[in-house]
Amino acid sequence: MRHDPLPPRAPLDPAFLARLVDRFGVQAHLTDAMREQHGRSEAHFTPMLPDAVVFARSTEDVVDLVRLCGQADVPIVPFGAGTSIEGNTLAVRGGVSVDLSEMNAILEVNAEDFDCTVQAGCRREELNLHLRDQGLFFPIDPGANATIGGMASTRASGTNAVRYGTMREAVLSLTVVTPDAQVIRTARRARKSAAGYDLTRLYVGSEGTLGIITEVTLRLHPIPETISSAVCGFDTLQGAVDTVVQSIQLGVPLARVEILDEAQIRAVNRWSKLDLAEVVTLFFEFHGSPAGVAEQIENVGALAAANGGSDFSWSNRPEERARLWKARHEAYYAAVNMRPGAVGWTTDVCVPISRLPECILETRADLEQSSVPATILGHVGDGNFHVIFSVDPAAPHEMEEVERINRRLVERALLMDGTCTGEHGIGLGKQDWLVAELGDAVDVMRTLKRALDPKDLFNPGKIFAL
Amino acid sequence: MRHDPLPPRAPLDPAFLARLVDRFGVQAHLTDAMREQHGRSEAHFTPMLPDAVVFARSTEDVVDLVRLCGQADVPIVPFGAGTSIEGNTLAVRGGVSVDLSEMNAILEVNAEDFDCTVQAGCRREELNLHLRDQGLFFPIDPGANATIGGMASTRASGTNAVRYGTMREAVLSLTVVTPDAQVIRTARRARKSAAGYDLTRLYVGSEGTLGIITEVTLRLHPIPETISSAVCGFDTLQGAVDTVVQSIQLGVPLARVEILDEAQIRAVNRWSKLDLAEVVTLFFEFHGSPAGVAEQIENVGALAAANGGSDFSWSNRPEERARLWKARHEAYYAAVNMRPGAVGWTTDVCVPISRLPECILETRADLEQSSVPATILGHVGDGNFHVIFSVDPAAPHEMEEVERINRRLVERALLMDGTCTGEHGIGLGKQDWLVAELGDAVDVMRTLKRALDPKDLFNPGKIFAL
């Protein structure tokens, strides 16, 4: 992992800063407070401050900023809600952090076409509130109330991906400002197209290194007639995972299925005032018609019972469902807050689902040897799980221990033909692992980066050092 | 549209051909018959022959061929089943056609993970035959028995896309030989990943211009417990499309829904010896549990009745379903063969579904003014439809008329925020429309092409002229 100290940087040319203030007025900020707010992350990375922060209000603002930065060779780092956890928005080489949170308009909703277009700074919870009256929803749900642009940039997914896919599937089209200050739209609003290279998918997950996303057209889904949640405890981890695999094999269209280990359930019980049995537990959500959901519950319930599961505790009352998933969403905070003063450190491997029990069990054996408190939770239908460590920031040996366990975990996942990052992106934290995972393919990525951003000004130092 | 005569080419250096034969022996072919077979397409394009054909048997063969061609600046054009219809495999600048059809092994099937890895030359029907005993299937179905590599290269889709997506969603990972003869694997076997740029999606749909796909890892699906088909005639086109939109809004997971106009039904009746009422017709397929399928049929049947549809004629007997979908798959041949000696010419627009009735109705008004026989059929759940013209190849004015109607159709689709090509790719036939559709974004595509294939040797002249 790279935590090398950064090389010292010269301060930005005052003439550049003057031009910035001249063009952007009150939208430009040079204060320490604002720079600090944009130069730290929710995770364990050392803060790296931009020299300036500009709040963009339009694609034209971004174009002008890209021009100004390009002329002065100043780095530019896009910033949304700041909820990413691989240091994706840190200003490794300083420069300007362009904050898109004020570009939060919902530009259009085409209910009959099941799509909408929003500005990049729109947040997913606000979008869903807006869509609700039209019977539609946007399913991608990483937990945090992230911006849609940020979610596109990191190829986010989360609890609904097993049924509805990730941002890769959810994004129909993007408006992007390129490093040479062109504004492109990557696709039309048709649901599918074979028109040339898939630029939409190239920018989804590119973490701001190839362009700045300013507008996003998203696929939407009809709100299901019936939504039902269930909780089920298991004797063994293997039993829990087998239940999920067999459900998928049976064709059950699980909308969500999350695994939480004993330690995570303990944390959730305490933080969210629940009283779940403290065993390996699956949280389910079922979407469909009343009869369809009843059939899903019956089938999954039978499989769970055959695999050592408890009786389903289930509910289709909205407030109970909301309480359950709120607890799931707060699981990260619940885990970290088990230890006062701790900092969160999250892993993110994703493996073929047949290897998931083995991968989790071997990891848990490592955790049992460790002095750093940790919980496990995951998107079991995708083969993706997280270990959340609660690290004492004043104890360097703890950080070393976590890195050692994470190294073993990623190596284990790669041996299983998995990935080092299911949904958090590479950012600063996974750069060495990207090379271990994809080898020479990373050379192709570098070639693309050099071709589109030859001066390396767009979120430099992320995904890979050039 | 570009049908400019090609500039004269010098014959290939005999020393290069000697090296080719030396390395590849009986796998290398220089005969006119073999060159002609690889230099024409199923559609209306003028044949453009390669100088040589090499049948690759391994990724290493492709690597060596790419090296040889690179050293001698010879173009290289990948060839699968030859079923593409935008001239995608024609040797615009001659060179070597690399035929991957002998690389047709199914390398592994991971039933528990719902994935498999095949060589690029494996065909979809053979793959499904192989998978059947394991209760799995590969859903993407463009009609023709195309190779998986070819389907990935053109981002194919077809009748199942409304439920199962396109090759964009179906491909998990690719093995690709790059223009500098590196072998890369674009992703691991995890179902999702946020590890750097999405090279998988960059190569899916790149039509052999950025690299040659030699292996493909695919997502599979469990064969549904119940499969049922239905046919329903409608008074009006609007009624048929409204039935589909309302079904999707209701959350019905339609597995297939195809629209065929009166003329297409007439052709299908004659070619496949059916006796369907000659009106606008929807072909449906429903996948699910017995109760789930029954519920889908009930819901869609009620919507159809409310929108001027006839009673459902439906069946879950495999041989009747097979007969129906065989007729749908042969619809292209059925249409073209209504006119002896005719050549097929197919359009491929895709629009937001709310605009589909208007788009089809305006197009049909154009067709009614035309002397060239034509039918309409489409993947109505995606907003994608085809006009199949049966053109007299000896009558140049017919080709002009078809091009005029197609121009009006594509312009109409673009005004509706649609695409010129839903699933056939750009190839030679849609290059001007690509620019009309995506504007400056095509510059970004050219930049990517120049960066990865600076000598423009990989399927040159396709998607765009550099």
Side-chain angles (χ1 to χ4, degrees), chain B residues 12-13 15-16 19 66-75 455 457:
Chain B
L12 281 192
D13 178 5
F16 169 79
R19 282 198 295 278
V66 166
R67 279 218 186 90
L68 281 176
C69 288
Q71 286 156 2
D73 290 348
V74 170
K455 293 166 127 187
L457 296 180

Side-chain angles (χ1 to χ4, degrees), chain B residues 294-357:
Chain B
E295 186 180 39
Q296 291 178 45
I297 289 174
E298 190 187 321
N299 284 331
V300 178
L303 290 172
N307 284 296
S310 69
D311 279 352
F312 265 27
S313 150
W314 68 281
S315 169
N316 48 15
R317 285 170 48 209
E319 60 278 16
E320 274 184 38
R321 276 198 290 113
R323 188 156 164 251
L324 184 71
W325 289 105
K326 183 163 180 290
R328 167 61 190 86
H329 282 155
E330 293 175 356
Y332 174 81
Y333 303 104
V336 176
N337 276 285
M338 287 289 274
R339 190 179 186 191
V343 170
W345 205 114
T346 308
T347 71
D348 184 31
V349 300
C350 183
V351 295
I353 198 172
S354 65
R355 309 300 299 273
L356 189 63

Side-chain angles (χ1 to χ4, degrees), chain A residues 6 21 25 55 142-143 163 218-219 226 274 337 339 358 375 448:
Chain A
L6 297 171
V21 172
F55 284 77
R163 165 97 166 242
L218 295 167
R219 287 182 76 146
T226 303
L274 299 178
N337 277 284
R339 189 178 187 193
E358 189 185 349
T375 66
L448 299 178

Side-chain angles (χ1 to χ4, degrees), chain B residues 47-127:
Chain B
M48 306 176 190
L49 309 196
D51 297 281
V53 177
V54 169
F55 284 77
R57 291 182 185 158
S58 65
T59 297
E60 292 65 41
D61 278 355
V62 176
V63 169
D64 286 353
L65 184 59
V66 166
R67 279 218 186 90
L68 281 176
C69 288
Q71 286 156 2
D73 290 348
V74 170
I76 184 163
V77 183
F79 190 97
T83 52
S84 63
I85 44 189
E86 290 293 353
N88 317 61
T89 59
L90 300 182
V92 175
R93 282 175 33 208
V96 179
S97 174
V98 51
D99 187 315
L100 295 137
S101 63
E102 292 181 3
M103 287 181 66
N104 60 358
I106 296 166
L107 300 172
E108 62 175 44
V109 178
N110 301 292
E112 253 199 322
D113 297 321
F114 310 99
D115 70 47
C116 69
T117 299
V118 302
Q119 288 184 311
C122 173
R123 291 182 184 229
R124 66 172 188 86
E125 288 180 4
E126 282 66 36
L127 175 60

